[in-house]
Amino acid sequence: MSPSSESRAQAIYDLGRTAIFACKSDPRFHYCLYVPPIAGEGGKVDLLVAVHGTGRTSFLDFRDGFAEFGRWNNCAILCPVFPVGVRGDDARSGYKFMIEGDIRYDLLLLDMVAEVAAKYQQNWDMFAMFGFSGGGHFTHRFAILHPQKLWAASIGAPGSVTLLDPDKDWWVGIRNLQERFGIRFDREGLARIPMHMVVGDADLETWEITIAEGSTNWMPGANDAGRTRPERLSSLRRSFENAGVAVKFDLVPGISHDRMQVLDHVQNFLADILAIRRAG
C-alpha cells in the first residue's frame, strides 16, 4: 500500500468512528473506538472506556452516542466487546464478575487500553469508565479492583452489586480479594475517584436480576442489596459513601432500562470532571 493509500485508510478506519479490532493479547475479544481528529494530528486527548450490557450491541451505541462528546471534549472512546460464550458454554455474564475460568476481564481491559494508547501515542495510564446494565456491573467492580487507574467512573443500572463488605466473599463482598485476584482493597484509592451512579426510577423489572439459588452466579447474599435496580444501586451508593467515596446519584424520572436515555447525565458528569481535571 502506498503512503497516500495508507494515510487514507488510517483516516477511514483508525480515526473518527473506527473499525472493530481484535485485541492483540487475546484475539477472542474485540473493541472499537471513536478517536477525535486532533489525535490524528498528534494532539493529546483523554480516554473514556464505555462498557456494553448483556446484549453486547450497545458497544456501537456508546461509540456513536459519545462521539460528539468525544470530539468537542478531546476525549477518545474505547468500547470493548466481550462476546457471549467465549469459553464455548453460552455463558452471558462472565465479564460482569471480572473473572471467568482463566479469563481476567479486568486485566484484558487494561491490555486493550495499553494497546490503543501505544497505537495513538497517548498517555492513558488513567482513564474514565462508564457502563450500563452489565457494563454497570463491570464498571463498579473494576473501580473496586483498580481505583488507581480511574479519573472518573459512571455506573449505570447494574443488575447486581458488590458491596464493600469485609465479611462476605466476592462477588457479594470483598473479603477474599487477595485470594481471588491478588489485590488488596484500596479504600483511599477508591475514595479519590469522582463517582457517578445513574438509574431510571421506572427501571423496576426483576426477572433478569433476581439470581436463583443454584444458578451459575448465585451465592449467599446474592439478592440482599435490594429487589430492583434502583434499590440495588442505592445500596451500592451507601456502601461507597460509607467508605468515603463522594457519589453523584441521578435517579432519572420516567425512565426504564434504557441506556440511551441516561447518556446526557453521564456526559454532563464527565464534562464537569474533565474541566476540573484539566484545570489542574
Side-chain angles (χ1 to χ4, degrees):
M1 187 179 290
S2 69
S4 61
S5 297
E6 178 59 34
S7 177
R8 185 174 182 183
Q10 182 185 44
I12 294 172
Y13 299 116
D14 294 340
L15 296 173
R17 294 169 170 86
T18 74
I20 299 172
F21 300 95
C23 179
K24 292 179 180 178
S25 69
D26 190 336
R28 295 176 296 175
F29 301 95
H30 308 92
Y31 61 85
C32 67
L33 304 105
Y34 172 79
V35 181
I38 189 174
E41 302 164 2
K44 298 305 178 184
V45 299
D46 284 289
L47 177 67
L48 167 66
V49 175
V51 186
H52 61 68
T54 309
R56 273 68 176 177
T57 55
S58 59
F59 80 96
L60 286 175
D61 290 339
F62 292 158
R63 182 198 65 178
D64 297 347
F66 281 105
E68 288 301 302
F69 172 87
R71 179 179 180 86
W72 300 115
N73 289 278
N74 293 335
C75 190
I77 316 300
L78 168 63
C79 300
V81 185
F82 304 127
V84 171
V86 73
R87 301 173 69 233
D89 55 5
D90 293 327
R92 293 188 295 268
S93 297
Y95 78 102
K96 302 174 188 177
F97 299 93
M98 290 295 163
I99 189 165
E100 184 179 25
D102 62 348
I103 303 169
R104 281 279 301 273
Y105 287 95
D106 56 328
L107 302 183
L108 176 65
L109 188 279
L110 290 173
D111 285 346
M112 289 183 182
V113 171
E115 180 177 318
V116 295
K119 177 176 181 176
Y120 294 98
Q121 298 182 322
Q122 300 288 332
N123 177 5
W124 287 333
D125 289 342
M126 295 183 71
F127 47 91
M129 185 176 289
F130 162 69
F132 186 85
S133 194
H137 283 247
F138 187 96
T139 298
H140 83 276
R141 294 184 179 119
F142 186 92
I144 291 169
L145 294 176
H146 301 283
Q148 75 284 357
K149 302 302 296 184
L150 297 177
W151 52 259
S154 179
I155 301 157
S160 68
V161 294
T162 296
L163 304 183
L164 304 178
D165 188 337
D167 298 319
K168 294 180 180 176
D169 285 341
W170 186 269
W171 58 267
V172 170
I174 60 170
R175 174 169 55 193
N176 62 337
L177 282 193
Q178 186 70 42
E179 174 187 341
R180 197 90 166 99
F181 296 99
I183 291 172
R184 190 178 301 277
F185 176 55
D186 181 0
R187 182 183 299 268
E188 292 75 19
L190 187 66
R192 285 194 293 270
I193 303 173
M195 194 74 62
H196 178 230
M197 298 183 185
V198 59
V199 65
D201 70 355
D203 194 348
L204 302 176
E205 290 193 7
T206 62
W207 66 271
E208 191 173 22
I209 69 172
T210 301
I211 301 177
E213 186 170 354
S215 64
T216 301
N217 296 307
W218 187 87
M219 60 184 298
N223 300 300
D224 288 356
R227 191 178 65 87
T228 65
R229 294 177 194 269
E231 290 175 5
R232 293 183 178 189
L233 196 57
S234 293
S235 293
L236 184 67
R237 174 191 188 177
R238 290 191 296 272
S239 181
F240 275 27
E241 288 180 337
N242 288 339
V245 182
V247 178
K248 175 177 171 53
F249 193 93
D250 282 322
L251 183 64
V252 186
I255 300 301
S256 59
H257 200 58
D258 187 336
R259 56 187 177 263
M260 302 308 289
Q261 293 294 319
V262 305
L263 290 194
D264 283 350
H265 296 272
V266 177
Q267 292 174 7
N268 289 341
F269 166 76
L270 292 172
D272 288 345
I273 300 303
L274 272 173
I276 295 168
R277 174 177 168 80
R278 289 169 179 172

